[in-house]
Amino acid sequence: MSFCNVSFKRSLLGLVCVIVLLIGFAAPVYALPQGNAIKDPKALLRYALPIENSDIRQVQSSLEDIAAQLRANRRWGAVTSDVKRVDRILLTQSDKILASVVDDRKSEAAQLIEQLKAGVAELTEIASTKDKSKTLEKRAELLDKVSTIEEAMVTGFPYEVPKEYSNLPQLKGRATIAAKTSKGDLTIVVDGFSAPVTAGNFVDLVQRGFYNGLPFTRAEDSYVLQIGDPPGKEVGFVDPKTNKYRGIPLEVLVKGDKVPTYGITLEDAGRYLEEPVLPFSAYGALALARPDFDANGGSSQFFFFLFEPELTPAGANLLDGRYSIFGFVTEGADVLGQLKAGDTIESMKVVDGLENLVEPKDA
């Protein structure tokens, strides 16, 4: 997302035209990725966790499927099947789920599994009354418990960040940010598992108070909301220790890869059909802004993506792989929709996960 006065929509339209031409000459090689993309930011964060336990993933996906079934003309028979599947897994595979939890969190996870079993019984009763609102509310409550269990399965940071970025802050895990804006509060979960350098830079700047009092500089309804341009001539963060502009490399983790791709868009790398772990398919995606001409020129400016399916359909958009997503707004989506250019971030604070921030080695 450029922080120059270049219309991103114009460049997006141009890229669409190029893709259309390519499709015409070589279909289906250049077809855009299709499918039922995940639009729930919390679900995307769950799937981005570096864990391997098929049973808890099945519990998760079955509970998530309930929302899809209720959107499809309230298919209560399918909802009942989802709930029964979760109940069966919890009754027969709890030991396998617990086996993947790290030792010092097994007691907590065991309690959560029992709470899930009781909650599923409640969900079964609620679903039998075909109360959509209460069903979705209970489902969300159970998924929060699933999230905690999955987080307890993470055994450590899953890969080594290239040494060339050791001079930059890195987030080796996740952090939660509480943001107070002139229109209300936001909760942001920043994911260092997928973008450790980008997320680390952001958390470091939050800790410095860099964003406190800054205005939103760009707001396009149903598209983007951008902030992070400091006062003065600079367009990014200048480290007071070095007096140098802190440039952050483009960083995108592709599904199936062990480490992110750095310094090049997936399009330029010839991987435009591959899916990032964190895609632009959810309202409130958080991504690093950068000049159009420099993949490694991002610094302090970032944008919230205000998902508009008609412009960038989930699973078939042209943003994935071109910008570094490093988190999502998990609470306050209604506030996000009210913010305009000139509104401000009054304060930002790391409320969880600060221990995952690794400062630069030369700091």
Side-chain angles (χ1 to χ4, degrees), residues 141-153:
E141 176 188 318
L142 297 181
L143 277 169
D144 284 343
K145 297 182 189 300
V146 170
S147 293
T148 304
I149 293 172
E150 291 179 343
E151 289 164 2
M153 292 179 175

Side-chain angles (χ1 to χ4, degrees), residues 16-338:
V16 169
C17 292
V18 171
I19 294 292
V20 169
L21 288 174
L22 290 174
I23 291 173
F25 284 105
V29 174
Y30 296 99
L32 292 171
Q34 300 295 324
N36 296 320
I38 300 172
K39 302 176 186 178
D40 178 1
K42 289 186 177 181
L44 288 168
L45 287 166
R46 281 189 286 269
Y47 280 117
L49 286 169
I51 63 172
E52 295 182 6
N53 185 293
S54 59
D55 294 306
I56 196 65
R57 288 302 197 193
Q58 185 61 65
V59 168
Q60 176 192 333
S61 63
S62 296
L63 288 172
E64 287 169 352
D65 186 62
I66 290 172
Q69 300 302 338
L70 292 182
R71 284 194 299 270
N73 299 317
R74 301 188 179 184
R75 296 168 55 179
W76 289 103
V79 170
T80 299
S81 296
D82 282 329
V83 176
K84 287 182 177 179
R85 186 177 303 113
V86 172
D87 186 52
R88 182 172 62 253
I89 294 171
L90 291 174
L91 287 175
T92 62
Q93 306 300 325
S94 290
D95 288 346
K96 290 184 178 179
I97 293 173
L98 199 57
S100 294
V101 175
V102 296
D103 289 342
D104 61 354
R105 299 192 66 178
K106 284 188 185 297
S107 177
E108 175 192 5
Q111 292 179 25
L112 287 168
I113 289 172
E114 292 306 311
Q115 292 171 17
L116 278 174
K117 291 177 180 178
V120 168
E122 294 175 22
L123 182 58
T124 300
E125 181 62 29
I126 294 170
S128 70
T129 68
K130 298 185 178 181
D131 187 320
K132 181 178 179 180
S133 178
K134 289 185 178 180
T135 297
L136 290 174
E137 181 179 346
K138 176 55 68 171
R139 163 193 171 273
E141 176 188 318
L142 297 181
L143 277 169
D144 284 343
K145 297 182 189 300
V146 170
S147 293
T148 304
I149 293 172
E150 291 179 343
E151 289 164 2
M153 292 179 175
V154 178
T155 57
F157 198 73
Y159 54 87
E160 290 293 329
V161 177
K163 291 182 179 179
E164 62 189 287
Y165 305 120
S166 62
N167 64 321
L168 298 170
Q170 298 176 17
L171 188 69
K172 298 294 186 70
R174 287 186 174 168
T176 302
I177 312 295
K180 292 185 178 296
T181 78
S182 52
K183 293 292 178 62
D185 297 343
L186 305 173
T187 299
I188 302 165
V189 174
V190 181
D191 183 34
F193 292 120
S194 301
V197 177
T198 315
N201 172 66
F202 178 74
V203 172
D204 175 71
L205 293 177
V206 169
Q207 278 297 101
R208 293 172 183 265
F210 180 90
Y211 296 108
N212 297 348
L214 288 186
F216 288 93
T217 55
R218 180 183 183 189
E220 297 186 36
D221 290 342
S222 301
Y223 200 57
V224 296
L225 182 67
Q226 186 165 317
I227 195 169
D229 185 6
K233 65 179 182 179
E234 300 295 344
V235 294
F237 173 66
V238 175
D239 192 328
K241 290 186 177 181
T242 63
N243 291 319
K244 294 182 179 179
Y245 179 91
R246 182 196 281 174
I248 303 301
L250 180 64
E251 181 179 42
V252 181
L253 180 62
V254 175
K255 289 182 178 179
D257 284 2
K258 293 183 178 180
V259 299
T261 293
Y262 287 94
I264 186 172
T265 66
L266 295 188
E267 178 187 1
D268 288 341
R271 305 182 68 184
Y272 41 80
L273 297 182
E274 299 187 49
E275 297 180 58
V277 171
L278 300 183
F280 282 96
S281 63
Y283 188 90
L286 193 69
L288 187 68
R290 63 173 178 81
D292 288 338
F293 55 84
D294 186 1
N296 300 316
S299 181
S300 62
Q301 295 195 47
F302 68 92
F303 64 95
F304 296 103
F305 182 57
L306 311 180
F307 174 69
E308 175 53 59
E310 285 73 25
L311 181 61
T312 51
N317 71 71
L318 299 172
L319 300 178
D320 288 337
R322 301 184 74 219
Y323 299 94
S324 302
I325 291 183
F326 58 97
F328 294 96
V329 171
T330 57
E331 295 179 30
D334 56 332
V335 172
L336 196 59
Q338 298 173 37

